[in-house]
Amino acid sequence: MFVLAMRSIGQRPGRFLATLLSAFLGAAIIMTFHSMHDTAGQPGVDPVSSETLSTAAGVVGGYGTLLVFFAVASTLTVNVRQRAAEMELLRCSGATPAQLKRMVVGEAVVVALVGAALAIGPAMLGGRALLDMFQDSGQIAGSVEFSFGTVAYVTGIGITLLAAAGAAFLAVRRATAGGGQRRGRARTVLAYAALVAGAAAVTSTFAFSAADAALMAAPAYGAILLSVGCALRAPRLLSAVLDRLPLGGASGWLAVRNLRERAGQLAGILMSLILFTAVATATLTMQAVESDAVAASGAVKSVDAKTLETLNFTVVGIIVVFVCVMLVNSLYAATSYREREFGQQRLAGATPGQVLGMVGVEGLVLTVTGVCFGTLAALAGIVPFTMVRTDGVLPNQVFGVWLAVVAVAAAVTVGTGLATARRVLRTPAVRAVAPAA
């Protein structure tokens, strides 16, 4: 099966570019921040600098680990679904489900290893730039020298390979095995557990005082957990929204029909939108409220406060990059795969403009749904934090942050879908519906 995996990669390398890009970015981020552990472990580093470096590595490195898993899982799930006919042919030829799992996992590991190897150089440059940023802001002593060693290599390559193997195993398991009801129940249990834990974390915000250094942690993690709970319920949430949409016209009718039929397949895109909206809106807004409160009091930010601010902006930046990559990869792959569907619609009488309108409406519905539930999760954390930290309830800063987040989400989702659909529509309808040779 390993030989078959290598042959599959060699014959059609284009299908693995999205996974390669996700693995590359994930490994680069993980190695960049975990190199701070190597730097902190050098002899002669003062305790304050060491603590700051270790905190940055632990917090952002942890987020990077989760993001690389979700990013690779998203691309691999689309890849496996698009290869359903190939998988079925292999099974009819005598391949067992276990052999198919080994083949797909082998493909993922090879691609992830290449991506991780390519990421070493950029990670070294990124780690050095990150250390310079900390030193320029006075958070790290200027005498500390950059080190890129064992911790960066082991965590970056190891985590990327494990994430790729695990994501590939889960993706092919869904495609080759039954148990859909059991997985649905497990997803539901996890969703409600995340919602309950998120609500508890948000409520615990009122147990802190305005001057408590850990005030931001509870509402931030609560908003994240609430967004995870909503994301796990993405197919149900999308179906509920579609039941209430009064869309008319050919494009609107086709969009609702297709979204309803593909709700399960689009769950990954909706999950990305919900998580992106919630985490970015909550983190940036709470950081803005905190910074304005400190400025209003006339106090000077401590080293810990500066470190937290830097980490918040860094985490949001990483999430923005990863979500954009995940959305572009998933939407491009999903829309490209609909060439035959678009051809059939055009032969049935739909114009290219109506097909593009359908894709645009689909993207708009996904964006509105993801932004709506992501915003609710974010506000659940923002409001308690603002009430404890200031005398207000809904901070003014949230509106500018929210508009920026929505603009990014809409541009990526709708823009990628329309651009890909326009490219697909260049294929004549008759050729699009013709059986592959």
Side-chain angles (χ1 to χ4, degrees):
M1 284 294 116
F2 181 77
V3 175
L4 188 58
M6 293 296 295
R7 183 180 300 171
S8 176
I9 295 173
Q11 288 177 345
R12 299 191 63 182
R15 65 164 55 144
F16 300 100
L17 287 178
T19 304
L20 178 65
L21 179 58
S22 298
F24 169 79
L25 289 174
I29 291 171
I30 292 172
M31 285 189 283
T32 293
F33 282 91
H34 278 284
S35 67
M36 298 298 100
H37 278 309
D38 293 311
T39 303
Q42 293 184 101
V45 177
D46 62 279
V48 175
S49 297
S50 178
E51 183 180 358
T52 300
L53 291 168
S54 298
T55 301
V59 173
V60 184
Y63 274 106
T65 300
L66 292 175
L67 288 171
V68 69
F69 178 82
F70 282 118
V72 174
S74 176
T75 57
L76 284 173
T77 298
V78 175
N79 185 298
V80 171
R81 280 176 177 161
Q82 292 181 351
R83 299 166 64 188
E86 175 188 337
M87 297 285 186
E88 185 63 28
L89 179 61
L90 289 172
R91 291 175 65 181
C92 293
S93 301
T96 65
Q99 289 175 323
L100 292 177
K101 288 186 181 73
R102 287 197 295 271
M103 180 190 74
V104 175
V105 171
E107 292 171 353
V109 168
V110 171
V111 173
L113 183 60
V114 174
L118 293 174
I120 293 175
M124 288 181 176
L125 296 175
R128 190 175 298 278
L130 181 63
L131 179 61
D132 291 340
M133 182 183 68
F134 279 127
Q135 290 176 329
D136 291 341
S137 62
Q139 300 171 62
I140 303 294
S143 59
V144 176
E145 295 185 0
F146 176 68
S147 176
F148 192 96
T150 304
V151 177
Y153 284 115
V154 172
T155 55
I157 297 176
I159 290 173
T160 303
L161 294 182
L162 287 174
F169 179 81
L170 292 176
V172 75
R173 186 169 180 266
R174 295 190 198 101
T176 59
Q181 292 184 346
R182 289 195 300 273
R183 289 196 299 274
R185 286 195 295 268
R187 179 186 287 264
T188 300
V189 170
L190 289 174
Y192 285 122
L195 291 173
V196 171
V202 166
T203 304
S204 69
T205 305
F206 296 101
F208 294 87
S209 65
D212 201 316
L215 173 62
M216 195 183 299
Y221 283 117
I224 292 172
L225 288 171
L226 289 173
S227 67
V228 169
C230 291
L232 290 172
R233 301 291 291 166
R236 291 292 183 89
L237 296 177
L238 181 58
S239 297
V241 171
L242 293 175
D243 291 339
R244 292 163 175 80
L245 277 181
L247 292 178
S251 297
W253 183 86
L254 284 172
V256 172
R257 175 180 174 275
N258 288 330
L259 287 171
R260 199 183 303 279
E261 291 181 352
R262 298 165 57 231
Q265 299 176 17
L266 296 172
I269 296 172
L270 191 55
M271 287 174 67
S272 300
L273 287 168
I274 293 173
L275 291 171
F276 166 63
T277 303
V279 176
T281 303
T283 304
L284 293 178
T285 301
M286 285 190 280
Q287 183 58 60
V289 171
E290 174 65 23
S291 297
D292 289 349
V294 172
S297 67
V300 178
K301 287 186 179 180
S302 64
V303 173
D304 290 340
K306 289 181 179 179
T307 301
L308 179 60
E309 183 178 11
T310 301
L311 292 179
N312 282 335
F313 288 131
T314 304
V315 166
V316 171
I318 291 173
I319 290 173
V320 169
V321 172
F322 253 101
V323 169
C324 287
V325 171
M326 290 169 64
L327 287 175
V328 170
N329 284 342
S330 299
L331 286 166
Y332 179 83
T335 307
S336 297
Y337 189 62
R338 299 171 68 184
E339 182 179 72
R340 182 178 178 83
E341 174 193 336
F342 292 165
Q344 291 173 334
Q345 290 172 351
R346 290 158 66 190
L347 290 177
T351 65
Q354 288 175 325
V355 175
L356 285 175
M358 174 194 70
V359 173
V361 173
E362 290 175 359
L364 188 60
V365 171
L366 287 173
T367 302
V368 171
T369 304
V371 166
C372 177
F373 290 101
T375 301
L376 292 176
L379 289 176
I382 292 171
V383 170
F385 174 80
T386 305
M387 292 175 67
V388 175
R389 189 67 177 89
T390 68
D391 295 330
V393 176
L394 188 64
N396 294 328
Q397 297 89 335
V398 70
F399 300 106
V401 172
W402 184 81
L403 287 175
V405 170
V406 172
V408 172
V412 173
T413 306
V414 179
T416 301
L418 288 176
T420 307
R422 187 179 296 276
R423 184 191 63 81
V424 172
L425 288 173
R426 293 174 184 169
T427 303
V430 175
R431 191 196 307 172
V433 301

